[in-house]
Amino acid sequence: MQGTLVTVPTPDGTADAYLARPEGGGPHPAVLMYMDGFGLRPHLKRMADRLAAAGHVVLVPNVFYRHGPAPVVELPEFINPAERPEILQELRPAAETLTPEAAVRDAGVYLDWLAESPLTTDGPAGVTGYCMGVGLALRTAGTYPDRVAAVAGFHGAYLATDAPDSPHLLADRITAELYLGHADQDSTNPAEQIDRLHKALAAAGVRHRGEVYSGAHHGFTQADTAMYDAEATERHWAALLELLGRTL
């Protein structure tokens, strides 16, 4: 596996990103990985490396690039929001730069970048996301349906709200196959929103599977945080690799 830092020009500036790819020959299927709210950092790079080792070319953009290169705020090696609540406040200005309109504009650029790379195979990409990245993944699939074959999302946040631009409202435009792993100890994704999301997907005829990970907290895949759950994380890897291996 080889990992490098790359830059992706966008209409609003230049996004810094991490690119992981298998060693040896290619090309390989493309995967766009959306970060969680803490941003592009060593742990997410290690996750991309593991996905690349399974045979994928993985791009992890710093979606907060409008605020600055990653890390957009100084992060401790181990993140515990209960002990350091100021981290979330420090990240808020960066998050506010990523409007839904900006997110879908960026998504097209990231997909173009992957498609034009000599490292990737022809055909649609896979998209995976964590926390806020699940909403980004759904917006990407709903805006560029012919360019996304699969979406996997884990411990997503605010996916089916009453907002007029809630991600679940794009369900009828999605053609990709979806897998969603929800945490049942997650105030950002309560049971009623999980139900609303999956009803919207079913009504739209989207191929999807959703599972609630019992006892898991929001952020359970992030080993550098207090929310990490090793068992739930390995379950996530099995589901993610199965979906991508079958669809890409």
Side-chain angles (χ1 to χ4, degrees), residues 6-21:
V6 298
T7 56
V8 181
T10 81
D12 297 332
T14 301
D16 50 309
Y18 181 72
L19 181 72
R21 62 184 179 90

Side-chain angles (χ1 to χ4, degrees), residues 36-230:
D36 67 345
F38 293 121
L40 181 57
R41 60 195 191 280
H43 173 65
L44 282 184
K45 294 176 183 179
R46 289 190 291 270
M47 294 183 73
D49 291 346
R50 180 166 174 175
L51 195 50
H56 305 284
V57 174
V58 186
L59 181 70
V60 193
N62 165 29
V63 302
F64 294 158
Y65 71 88
R66 292 173 181 82
H67 193 75
V72 295
V73 302
E74 184 176 351
L75 295 171
E77 290 187 12
F78 184 77
I79 304 168
N80 186 346
E83 294 180 354
R84 295 278 305 277
E86 70 275 9
I87 292 175
L88 299 178
Q89 295 300 317
E90 291 170 1
L91 284 164
R92 188 181 301 275
E96 290 174 348
T97 67
L98 189 66
T99 63
E101 295 78 16
V104 297
R105 189 164 62 245
D106 287 347
V109 173
Y110 302 144
L111 291 173
D112 285 344
W113 194 94
L114 282 166
E116 293 166 5
S117 170
L119 301 173
T120 62
T121 55
D122 293 335
V127 182
T128 186
Y130 301 87
C131 179
M132 59 169 278
V134 184
L136 297 177
L138 292 175
R139 294 189 193 281
T140 300
T143 307
Y144 306 97
D146 59 334
R147 307 190 62 186
V148 178
V151 170
F154 301 91
H155 47 81
Y158 309 111
L159 302 178
T161 70
D162 295 326
D165 57 1
S166 175
H168 80 288
L169 298 176
L170 292 169
D172 62 352
R173 299 180 57 186
I174 294 173
T175 59
E177 182 175 345
L178 272 59
Y179 175 88
L180 297 165
H182 306 286
D184 74 343
Q185 306 295 310
D186 189 348
S187 61
T188 72
N189 191 33
E192 59 269 23
Q193 288 195 33
I194 295 173
D195 182 62
R196 181 185 296 169
L197 171 61
H198 286 282
K199 283 182 176 176
L201 294 171
V206 178
R207 294 166 297 161
H208 71 284
R209 182 161 64 101
E211 296 184 315
V212 176
Y213 289 30
S214 179
H217 292 262
H218 183 74
F220 64 78
T221 63
Q222 305 302 299
D224 60 348
T225 75
M227 294 76 77
Y228 177 62
D229 184 313

